[in-house]
Amino acid sequence: MTEGAAQAKRLFDQERWPDAVAALERVISGETGDDAGNKELAEYLRGVALSKAGRTADAARAFLAIAPRVSHLKHFETLLWLVKLADEQPTVVRALVFYAAADAERFASPQQHEVHAGALFLLGRERFERGAFAEAAELFAKVDSTSHWGPLAVSCRERAKAAH
């Protein structure tokens, strides 16, 4: 990691979001001379910093750029942020084509209950929009009814079953 990338990470860790975004952009652009792995980490951290700074549309675009790149160092972690941004930025749902139900299951823990439910629901919604109604219905059925997403998943499951 170059000094430029290390400085960007320090700004991020200090929660100095606008400064971190600018420094991370220098890493991503190649200005600092960092390798591909550090650039990928900077892309992800930039998306997080944009979200933390309240720039949700920009954060959504950052994570939408990572999602299709399944070999990206932070591909899996990007799913978490897509779920977090979905209420404010519904366009992120289209990126879920690059994720599987098994990816959502990695969030199956009491601490990440809402993220897990959200990932299952949003994966179901993406499958429904593509016409994969049976898969969508299965995903909607897995959404915990006590979650924020639960009631909506019930009605969506019925629609998916009817369309199938």
Side-chain angles (χ1 to χ4, degrees), residues 20-40:
V21 168
L24 291 162
E25 286 173 350
R26 287 191 291 280
V27 175
I28 296 164
S29 73
E31 184 180 321
T32 60
D34 279 273
D35 65 16
N38 287 335
K39 287 179 183 180
E40 286 185 4

Side-chain angles (χ1 to χ4, degrees), residues 9-163:
K9 180 70 167 81
R10 282 191 294 274
L11 291 167
F12 180 89
D13 291 342
Q14 294 167 359
E15 300 182 6
R16 293 176 51 193
W17 306 127
D19 295 333
V21 168
L24 291 162
E25 286 173 350
R26 287 191 291 280
V27 175
I28 296 164
S29 73
E31 184 180 321
T32 60
D34 279 273
D35 65 16
N38 287 335
K39 287 179 183 180
E40 286 185 4
L41 179 59
E43 288 173 326
Y44 173 77
L45 293 176
R46 179 179 171 270
V48 174
L50 287 165
S51 179
K52 297 284 189 176
R55 295 173 54 188
T56 57
D58 292 330
R61 281 190 289 281
F63 292 122
L64 284 169
I66 294 170
R69 298 162 48 203
V70 295
S71 64
H72 191 283
L73 290 173
K74 295 294 185 174
H75 180 260
F76 170 71
E77 291 85 347
T78 294
L79 177 57
L80 168 81
W81 286 95
L82 294 170
V83 172
K84 287 183 175 193
L85 292 169
D87 283 338
E88 291 183 57
Q89 299 294 322
T91 59
V92 300
V93 171
R94 70 177 185 246
L96 298 179
V97 68
F98 301 107
Y99 294 90
D103 295 320
E105 292 307 321
R106 293 173 67 182
F107 294 114
S109 72
Q111 298 82 8
Q112 294 185 310
H113 176 257
E114 284 299 318
V115 173
H116 179 241
L120 289 169
F121 174 79
L122 294 169
L123 283 167
R125 194 170 126 204
E126 187 280 327
R127 297 327 189 250
F128 185 91
E129 290 173 6
R130 275 195 297 126
F133 301 118
E135 185 180 359
E138 287 176 24
L139 287 161
F140 292 137
K142 292 180 180 181
V143 175
D144 187 326
S145 63
T146 65
S147 77
H148 158 80
W149 305 93
L152 193 52
V154 171
S155 66
C156 288
R157 181 178 182 218
E158 294 307 313
R159 287 181 50 213
K161 285 170 54 178

